[in-house]
Amino acid sequence: MNFTDYIRRSIHLHGIAVKEGDLPYIEHILHTIEQAQTPLKAKPDLNEEVPITIVDPELIRHD
């Protein structure tokens, strides 16, 4: 079974009418989501790191 068939069957199991013309778009969206999750697979604890903030000294007011 290829990925398009998997998508088709998954949609059908949820009781949604399958529109063949939508399958390439759904496949593209799922591929985009998978690519966006790649950095999280490499570093799953990324949300625990403290962000670095750089402040321009000229923006700090000295009253």
Side-chain angles (χ1 to χ4, degrees), residues 28-55:
H28 177 70
I29 290 169
L30 291 174
H31 180 68
T32 302
I33 291 170
E34 183 181 10
Q35 285 181 327
Q37 291 176 341
T38 302
L40 295 176
K41 292 176 186 172
K43 194 155 177 84
D45 58 343
L46 186 62
N47 65 327
E48 296 177 8
E49 291 191 21
V50 178
I52 297 173
T53 304
I54 300 173
V55 179

Side-chain angles (χ1 to χ4, degrees), residues 6-18:
Y6 173 76
I7 295 169
R8 184 183 296 109
R9 289 174 191 236
S10 297
I11 291 172
H12 181 71
L13 285 174
H14 283 88
I16 301 170
V18 178

